[in-house]
C-alpha cells in the first residue's frame, strides 16, 4: 500500500481512467454537500496560494487485469468527492474563455486521441454514466432537477460561478476558482497493490459510511476482469446483468455467506473475513474471458440452489421442499456446502429427486441423533467441508451413509443404543433442537389437516415446579421422579395452551387438552394419571417413531 498527500486534481491529470465500480451506489451528494465544498473552496479562494483544504482519503486499486488502453484505477473509497469535483470542472469549463475551457476538457476531463472506451478520465457507476457522459463529453447538460442529481450539482456550481459573489463581495472569478481547485484541495492518495486487502483498508477509513462487504469486493474484482464500456452494452455490463444482478436480487443480504459456502463446497474452510481473498485467488489464475464467464455462470447457478436453502418454498418438489424446511429449522448452515454439491448433482441428472430426498433425510438424521445425544456441534463445519471435498460422481446415498457413519468421538453418528438411552433418559428441554424434534414427531402422523406448530410452545406435563398436589400424586419418590423425568421427551409435548396449563394438576391439564388438534397430546388425554410409568411408556412410544424418522448409522442397520 502506498499512501501520500496529493492534490485532488492529480486524479484528473495524466492519461488514466478512474472507474467507480458497478456495485457502488449512484451519486448521492446533495445541496448541503455541494455548499460545504463551495464554502471550503471560497476560504482558500480568499487566502490565495497560502492555504490548503484537506478533503479526506481516496482509495484506489489498479485494474491491472485489463491490459489494454490507458491505465485504469478502481475507486474503492472517494466516489462522491471525485464525482463532485469532476462536475465542478465541467461547470468551470462552461464559464471560462475558449482556451481555458479547452484545457479543462483535454487535460482534466478526457484522454485525447484515445479509443471511445478510454476517452473519459472519470467513469461513474452504471446508473450515472449516461448523464455524466452527456455533461462531460457531449457538453449537453440536462435541466436542473433534484431527480437528476448530477445535473443539479452542475447547475449549483454554475450558478455559484456566475450569479454569486466572493466573500469580499467582488464578482466570482472562475479562472481564480480553477487555480484554487488545482492548488488548494488536497487528499491522501492511497493506492493499493494486489497484496493489500481493500476490505480492511475501507473498514478503517470508512467507519462512518456505508460498510463495504466482502461480496462488494468480489463483485468488483470479478467484473473488472472484463472489458468495461462507458456506453451501454459492454462486456462488463453484460456479465453484470446476466450473472451478478440475478444473484444479488435472490440472495440480497445473504450474498456474502453464499459466496463463503460456494467456495467451501470444494473443500476449503473459508472464514467470514476471507471470502474476497479466496475468490480473488481463484479468479486470478483464470487467464481467459471464457473461463471467467464460466465461473460467473457457476456462481449464478449455485446461487439458485442457495436461494432454495434459504427459502425452501422455491423448491418445486414437495418432498424435497419438506426436507429443506427441516434442515432450515434445525439451523444446520454448516451443511450448506454439501447441500450445494447435492443440488448440483441433481441438476446434472447424476442424482434423482428420490435419491436427493434420501440424502437430505440422512443429513437430518445425523444432526438430530447427535443433538439428542448431546454431541458437540464444533466438528460439524470441518466434517461437512471434508464430505463436500470428497463428493463422488455416483452412488451418492451409499457414499453419504458410509461417510456419516465412519466418525467417532465428536464426529460420531450415534447408534441405536446410545440414541435410545439419550432419548429415554436425558433432559431435552432447553436444547435448540427439541421443539423441532417434537414437531417432526407430530408431523409423522401425517394428518390431512395439519396443525400450525409455529406458535405452539413446549409444555411439561409434569410441571417444572412441583406443587403439593403433584407431590401427593407422585408419592414418596416425587422429588426423584421429578428430577430425572421432568425434561425428557416422555414428559414434553407441544401446545398453544401453555400459559393456561402451568402447574395445574394432571386432571385439569387433561381436561384443557381434550379438544387438542395435536396428535402428541391424544395419548396423554387417554391416561387417568401421570407419573413415572406413563412418562417412561410415552418416551418408549415416541422412540419407536423417532427410529423410523431418523435413520441409524450403517453398522446398526
Amino acid at each position: 500500500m502506498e499512501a501520500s498527500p496529493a492534490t485532488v486534481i492529480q486524479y484528473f491529470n495524466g492519461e488514466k481512467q478512474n472507474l467507480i465500480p458497478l456495485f457502488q451506489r449512484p451519486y448521492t451528494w446533495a445541496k448541503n454537500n455541494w455548499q460545504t465544498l463551495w464554502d471550503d473552496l471560497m476560504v482558500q479562494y480568499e487566502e490565495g496560494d497560502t492555504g490548503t483544504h484537506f478533503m479526506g482519503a481516496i482509495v484506489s486499486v489498479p485494474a491491472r487485469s485489463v491490459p489494454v488502453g490507458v491505465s485504469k484505477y478502481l475507486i474503492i473509497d472517494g466516489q462522491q468527492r471525485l464525482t463532485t469535483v469532476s462536475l465542478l470542472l465541467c461547470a468551470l469549463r462552461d464559464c471560462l474563455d475558449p482556451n481555458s475551457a479547452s484545457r479543462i476538457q483535454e487535460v482534466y476531463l478526457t484522454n485525447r486521441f484515445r479509443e471511445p472506451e478510454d476517452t473519459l478520465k472519470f467513469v461513474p457507476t452504471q446508473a450515472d454514466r449516461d448523464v455524466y457522459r452527456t455533461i462531460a463529453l457531449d457538453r449537453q447538460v440536462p435541466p436542473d432537477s433534484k431527480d437528476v442529481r448530477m445535473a443539479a450539482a452542475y447547475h449549483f456550481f454554475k450558478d455559484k460561478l456566475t450569479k454569486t459573489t466572493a466573500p469580499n463581495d467582488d464578482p466570482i472569478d472562475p479562472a481564480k476558482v480553477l487555480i484554487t481547485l488545482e492548488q488548494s484541495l488536497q487528499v491522501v492518495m492511497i493506492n493499493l497493490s494486489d497484496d493489500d486487502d481493500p476490505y480492511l483498508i475501507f473498514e478503517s477509513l470508512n467507519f462512518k459510511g456505508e460498510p463495504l462487504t466482502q461480496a462488494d469486493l468480489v463483485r468488483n474484482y470479478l467484473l473488472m476482469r472484463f472489458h468495461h464500456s462507458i456506453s451501454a452494452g459492454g462486456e462488463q455490463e453484460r456479465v453484470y446483468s446476466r450473472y451478478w444482478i440475478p444473484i444479488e436480487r435472490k440472495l440480497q443480504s445473504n450474498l456474502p455467506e453464499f459466496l463463503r459456502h460456494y467456495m467451501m463446497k470444494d473443500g476449503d474452510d473459508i472464514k467470514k473475513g476471507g471470502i474476497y481473498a479466496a475468490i480473488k485467488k481463484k479468479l486470478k489464475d483464470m487467464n481467459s474471458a471464457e473461463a471467467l464467464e464460466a465461473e460467473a455462470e457457476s456462481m449464478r447457478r449455485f446461487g439458485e440452489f442457495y436461494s432454495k436453502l434459504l427459502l425452501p418454498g422455491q423448491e418445486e418438489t414437495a418432498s424435497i421442499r419438506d426436507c429443506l424446511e427441516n434442515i432450515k429449522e434445525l439451523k444446520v448452515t454448516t451443511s450448506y456446502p454439501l447441500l450445494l454439491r447435492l443440488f448440483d448433482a441433481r441438476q446434472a441428472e447424476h442424482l434423482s429427486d428420490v435419491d436427493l430426498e434420501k440424502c437430505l433425510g440422512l443429513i437430518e438424521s445425523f444432526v438430530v441423533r447427535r443433538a439428542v445425544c448431546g454431541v458437540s456441534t464444533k466438528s460439524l463445519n470441518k466434517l461437512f467441508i471434508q464430505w463436500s471435498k470428497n463428493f463422488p460422481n455416483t452412488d451418492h446415498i451409499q457414499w453419504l451413509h458410509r461417510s456419516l457413519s465412519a466418525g467417532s468421538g465428536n464426529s460420531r453418528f450415534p447408534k441405536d443404543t446410545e440414541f435410545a438411552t439419550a432419548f429415554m433418559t436425558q433432559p431435552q428441554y432447553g436444547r435448540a433442537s427439541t421443539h423441532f424434534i417434537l414437531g417432526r414427531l407430530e408431523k409423522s402422523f401425517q394428518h390431512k389437516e395439519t396443525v400450525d406448530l409455529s406458535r405452539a410452545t413446549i409444555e411439561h406435563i409434569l410441571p417444572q415446579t412441583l406443587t403439593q398436589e403433584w407431590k401427593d400424586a407422585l408419592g414418596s419418590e416425587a422429588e426423584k421422579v421429578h428430577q430425572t423425568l421432568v425434561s425428557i421427551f416422555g414428559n414434553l409435548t407441544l401446545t398453544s395452551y401453555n400459559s393456561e396449563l402451568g402447574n395445574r394438576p394432571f386432571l385439569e391439564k387433561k381436561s384443557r387438552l381434550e379438544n387438542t388438534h395435536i396428535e402428541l397430546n391424544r395419548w396423554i388425554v387417554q391416561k387417568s394419571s401421570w407419573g413415572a410409568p406413563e412418562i417412561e411408556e410415552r418416551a418408549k412410544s415416541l422412540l419407536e417413531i423417532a427410529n423410523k424418522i431418523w435413520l441409524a448409522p450403517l453398522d446398526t442397520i
Side-chain angles (χ1 to χ4, degrees), residues 404-417:
L404 295 174
S405 305
S408 59
N410 281 341
S411 301
R412 72 186 183 275
F413 190 169
K415 301 176 183 179
D416 281 343
T417 301

Side-chain angles (χ1 to χ4, degrees), residues 124-141:
T125 193
Q126 192 66 25
D128 293 325
R129 270 181 204 177
D130 287 344
V131 173
Y132 181 77
R133 178 178 179 137
T134 299
I135 296 172
L137 200 58
D138 301 335
R139 304 194 192 193
Q140 297 176 1
V141 184

